[in-house]
Amino acid sequence: MRDVMEKLAVWTGWLGQAALWLSGIGLVLMTAFVFAQVFYRYVLGSSLFWAEPASVILMGWFIFLGAAVGIREGYHLSFDVLLFVLPEKARLTFFSISDLVVAAFGFGMLKYGWLLADKMASTTISGIGVSGAFRFVPVLAGGALLMIFCAERILRRFAGLPTARFGDDHEAAELEGAAPVGEGN
């Protein structure tokens, strides 16, 4: 099981890196679109009719993809006061319960994002001329990634491998060579 999880971690690590790159590209593009819109409106006295809807869609992409990667890398907040007094095995059980709750939230994003996309499929986003369903594709992608990354975290724990948690010193673990980001205790 341990070997399988280590191989899976390579794949999910690649998936996380791809999601971060897409998020970063989306953030840069959104910033460029907003800058161009301001320039056109206030300097040239015109307007880019597509800039606002495109920027909003890009914002959805970098928010939902970035949030999912934050789960994988252990950078999301958690409330651990009770966990400090519990034995190690109980803590790991609570960590897995927490990951199950987040995965259930990801499933909800996937299910209800699909319903919203289906309901809006017949509409068109003015300014860019694509289906209204496209607004909800980032919700679907983010929900799917949440479920994948939470499953990875639970399976890693089951295999006896460490998972990163908010508050862990990610940079120190990398410098010491203890574990790559997303793999620390």
Side-chain angles (χ1 to χ4, degrees), residues 8-150:
L8 179 66
V10 171
W11 183 80
T12 56
W14 177 84
L15 188 60
Q17 285 297 319
L20 278 181
W21 272 98
L22 286 173
S23 294
I25 291 167
L27 179 60
V28 169
L29 280 174
M30 185 196 78
T31 304
F33 291 171
V34 169
F35 175 78
Q37 173 67 351
V38 169
F39 180 80
Y40 267 73
R41 181 170 290 157
Y42 294 106
V43 175
L44 302 178
S46 183
S47 183
L48 298 174
F49 58 89
W50 53 268
E52 183 182 349
S55 296
V56 170
I57 288 172
L58 287 170
M59 185 175 13
W61 276 104
F62 70 74
I63 288 171
F64 287 113
L65 293 180
V69 173
I71 292 292
R72 181 181 190 276
E73 301 294 330
Y75 283 117
H76 279 275
L77 293 173
S78 59
F79 188 70
D80 296 344
V81 173
L82 172 68
L83 298 177
F84 287 117
V85 297
L86 293 175
E88 179 70 17
K89 188 168 180 138
R91 273 198 309 267
L92 295 176
T93 301
F94 277 103
F95 291 158
S96 293
I97 290 169
S98 174
D99 287 334
L100 282 171
V101 169
V102 173
F105 184 79
F107 177 77
M109 288 172 59
L110 198 59
K111 178 183 176 184
Y112 293 107
W114 180 265
L115 292 173
L116 287 167
D118 185 47
K119 187 172 262 203
M120 299 301 292
S122 62
T123 65
T124 302
I125 300 173
S126 62
I128 54 178
V130 298
S131 169
F134 194 69
R135 286 185 176 127
F136 301 101
V137 174
V139 178
L140 297 170
L145 284 177
L146 275 178
M147 292 182 350
I148 290 168
F149 293 151
C150 286

Side-chain angles (χ1 to χ4, degrees), residues 174-185:
E174 283 182 60
L175 291 174
E176 295 170 8
V181 173
E183 314 291 318
N185 275 335

